[in-house]
Amino acid sequence: MATLAIRNAWRLRSIFPTRHSRLITTDALSQKFQIYTSKTANPYLNLSIEHHLLEKSNPDSTILFLYTNDPCVVIGRNQNPWTEVNLPQLAKTRIKFGKLKHHLVRRRSGGGTVVHDNGNANWSVICPKDVFDRDKHALMVVEALKNMGIKGVKVNERHDIVQDVQDAEGLELTPSTFKISGSAYKLTGKRALHHGTLLLNSNLNDISGLLRSPAAPYIAAQGVESVRSPVCNVGVEKNTDFYDAVIDQFKTMYPDGRPAEVIEVEKQEALEHDNIWKGLQELLSPKWLWESTPKFRLSSHPTPEDPRPRPDSPTDFQLALTARHSEILNIQLYSPDLRPPVQTASLNFFLKQKIHQLPKYCELRDWEVYLNFRVDNGKTLSLRNATLRDMCQWLMGDDMLATGPLRGITQSLKTTLKELRHCREGGKPLTIERLEHVHFSNRYTL
Amino acid sequence: MASIARCLRAARPSSFAAVRSSAPRIAAARPFSVTASNEIRKYTKEHEWIDLAADKKTGVIGISEYAAKALGDLVYVELPEEGRTVCKGDAIGAVESVKSAADINAPVSCKITQINLVLEEKPGNLNQVPEDDSHGGGWIAKVQVDEQGLQDFETLMDSEQYNEFTATEEH
């Protein structure tokens, strides 16, 4: 009851007008040239600040925004998390209370999948659409790196920044060109946003494991596929040194005669902006993450439309399903051991369900209730029928739809949102005990 | 009912057959570049177009050839949500090309009644025939237009004005 009273007190605060950030003021957003750096490392919040700058700034302005994220895997607007990311591996890296070591984020711009950590810096330039050029600001970053004494960097034909690397004796390595930055873009009615990564001092060991999905060989997907490249760090210790170089180059490119002003955006103040909070809630919603997925077809065996050989097809059955926006549109199953009504019932169970809302395979003790049938002689069919159990295990297990890991990832979104809401409402920083409370209360509200 | 009866009669050979067959037949496929004379097409400054039907209640929307060329080869079209009601300028979907997600905005206030699902599978259709509103065309959605939508429609540019506008944009 005491907690209820406290919660109601927090709710009262929302009746009073929320403070706007002192720093991202209407005045700041109207300037012709603006420079911001972020003091938070939460990837969802940084992307929401960026989106706020895109939406609310003076349409004639040019803005530079620099930020660093905690470890996360970021997929593009129109990508498929099942094919791009090793979801079971991601979900396994739980640190505390349902939060993952690597967040899973779907950004609003296009392009492919990248992995961020604190050794990677993100730069973002927003400008009027009529002067939009895909290379212009990548070239600006290349100049900034050159000014820091980094050699061999240039922009390639895919608008990414690459570095030609030679070993100490000057002999060329194979491969000799490594990607150090990837670019992505978002275009609205009047504005263009170009953002990119920069590998300064990142842990590159985790990357390939996280980005090789076991389900990829079985899924033919619409949307955008990532293009793989070998990567390397440029070897800069402090992100702020990189920020300073880029800010100098931005000012060189856009001399406006005004004194230098770099606005540092604080986490608390960003959260109090209603528009940033709104965008944040969208990025943290399971709907945004899973239901933005374009149509895809998963099939256990090669088909005429998708003849790729599969590494490990099941032997007792053949299965194919089509999903759009995470909703299962159709599913076909063939097995000599499964006949109607069992076959029909088990297929009907999956139809129209959203993949990220499917129960974990092993959580269901009463499959009969879900499958909703009994065979003619009055006996219920339990999952002792090996083929049915194998089918569900194959489809919903870690190597395919990974329904268990998906729920863990969705739970992590909710924990993150709760933490940020708590911060926005001005609560004391969360201690371990309070985080525990947040985590356990999640488990009953999912 | 009368029309069904007419069809049944036509199926049986009769002395009317000769008369019937001389009546002009409407071509089954619409030629792609011909706009039916009772539809009006207008454009926005953001390069979306809308064909308003003669009944002024329905329309078809898409993006212009100028925009499709500028965007380059599309790799994905994110279609609007069916059944959604939007205001002029609202983002109703997006197209992706060369790592760029570009918003598509509603040219007028309207309600989305049908979307061109073929585009999800074949975004190339939008590049090839962006201003075609037939089955294989690059149209994006069919809409229902209300009073507000009609008012918005009056503020848009017609083909000539749009061509002038794009000519000046190219500097």
Side-chain angles (χ1 to χ4, degrees), chain B residues 85-92 105-110 152:
Chain B
T85 306
V86 293
C87 300
K88 174 169 157 66
D90 279 353
I92 53 172
N105 303 305
V108 302
S109 307
C110 58
D152 297 331

Side-chain angles (χ1 to χ4, degrees), chain A residues 77-78 108-111 134 158-160 183-190 222-224 287 294-295 324-325, chain B residues 46-47 70-71 75-76 78-81 94-103 105 115 117 120-121 171:
Chain A
R77 177 71 183 91
N78 299 307
R108 298 177 203 279
S109 55
R134 290 198 172 88
R158 282 180 49 80
H159 319 291
D160 296 329
S183 287
Y185 309 83
K186 168 101 185 122
L187 304 171
T188 65
K190 294 198 159 36
Q222 289 174 3
V224 174
K287 179 169 182 206
K295 196 171 182 185
R324 178 178 184 266
H325 296 179
Chain B
E46 281 80 43
H47 312 290
L71 286 165
V75 294
Y76 190 67
E78 189 201 319
L79 294 168
E81 218 182 291
V95 290
E96 183 164 343
S97 67
V98 200
K99 306 197 270 198
S100 323
D103 280 346
N105 303 305
I115 54 179
L117 282 168
E120 272 189 359
E121 219 165 322
H171 310 299

Side-chain angles (χ1 to χ4, degrees), chain A residues 171-185:
Chain A
L171 298 168
E172 282 177 19
L173 301 168
T174 315
S176 61
T177 304
F178 292 81
K179 182 171 158 181
I180 58 166
S181 162
S183 287
Y185 309 83

Side-chain angles (χ1 to χ4, degrees), chain A residues 259-359:
Chain A
E261 189 192 34
V262 175
I263 297 179
E264 291 187 337
V265 183
E266 303 267 354
K267 175 178 178 184
Q268 179 73 43
E269 314 211 44
L271 283 171
E272 287 178 4
H273 258 287
D274 290 340
N275 194 47
I276 294 181
W277 178 245
K278 183 175 125 208
L280 186 64
Q281 285 179 298
E282 182 175 33
L283 289 187
L284 277 167
S285 66
K287 179 169 182 206
W288 170 264
L289 180 61
W290 305 117
E291 295 183 33
S292 305
T293 308
K295 196 171 182 185
F296 69 85
R297 187 150 181 83
L298 177 142
S299 48
S300 58
H301 292 72
T303 63
E305 299 82 27
D306 182 13
R308 293 171 298 164
R310 272 60 171 150
D312 189 17
S313 293
T315 48
D316 296 336
F317 60 88
Q318 292 193 22
L319 188 141
L321 73 75
T322 305
R324 178 178 184 266
H325 296 179
S326 188
E327 186 185 322
I328 297 176
L329 299 179
N330 60 58
I331 176 168
Q332 291 94 38
L333 168 68
Y334 167 71
S335 161
D337 297 331
L338 281 181
R339 302 256 155 73
V342 176
Q343 184 191 42
T344 321
S346 42
L347 297 184
N348 285 342
F349 167 68
F350 289 102
L351 267 189
K352 290 245 179 340
Q353 288 226 51
K354 303 228 165 97
I355 298 173
H356 63 287
Q357 290 168 344
L358 279 172

